[in-house]
Amino acid sequence: MPSEFALDLCFIREHAKSPFSTIIEQQLNELFAGKGTWYIDLREQEGLDIAVAEVKGLAIWESEEEVLSYIEEYTACSLTSEHDCWNHLQGYQVKVSPKADAGCCRLKKEAHV
């Protein structure tokens, strides 16, 4: 069953010349292309690069644990690069909202009793 998901990710690293947003964009594209869209807010403050990525989309995950497992499987394979943003993940928030079929091309939120 499809579900809406919302994922907030906070990355912090020491300021560097390499563009942090480009690295994060590449990683999110590998993970969520076709599953969602994202926005990255990047700031430099007190010698740190701080990036907050908001990812939203529709996928087959039914729980927050499934989303985290999906990300963990991906990062287990990709943590070899020094340019990998996952080494700098400082916090996250994830929410999954199951949808009910409401007919052709429409979905509605399931009512939780």
Side-chain angles (χ1 to χ4, degrees):
M1 171 185 337
S3 298
E4 277 186 358
F5 71 93
L7 179 64
D8 297 324
L9 303 165
C10 179
F11 302 95
I12 302 174
R13 72 171 187 183
E14 288 186 29
H15 180 65
K17 290 182 182 179
S18 61
F20 203 27
S21 62
T22 303
I23 296 166
I24 295 169
E25 179 80 29
Q26 176 187 6
Q27 300 285 305
L28 294 179
N29 190 49
E30 289 177 19
L31 266 171
F32 298 109
K35 292 177 178 57
T37 58
W38 51 88
Y39 168 77
I40 302 169
D41 180 26
L42 181 63
R43 297 176 185 190
E44 181 187 339
Q45 185 174 344
E46 297 179 17
L48 299 173
D49 291 329
I50 303 168
V52 176
E54 298 176 9
V55 184
K56 294 181 180 182
L58 190 65
I60 58 170
W61 301 307
E62 295 182 6
S63 69
E64 287 81 3
E65 291 78 21
E66 288 182 15
V67 177
L68 296 175
S69 292
Y70 174 76
I71 295 170
E72 287 172 356
E73 287 175 20
Y74 171 81
T75 59
C77 298
S78 76
L79 287 179
T80 57
S81 171
E82 66 184 49
H83 299 293
D84 196 326
C85 68
W86 302 104
N87 292 323
H88 306 288
L89 182 66
Q90 300 298 315
Y92 66 88
Q93 178 175 299
V94 62
K95 182 178 180 182
V96 174
S97 302
K99 304 303 240 172
D101 187 3
C104 182
C105 300
R106 294 185 298 162
L107 296 173
K108 66 178 181 180
K109 290 185 179 181
E110 280 192 348
H112 293 284
V113 180

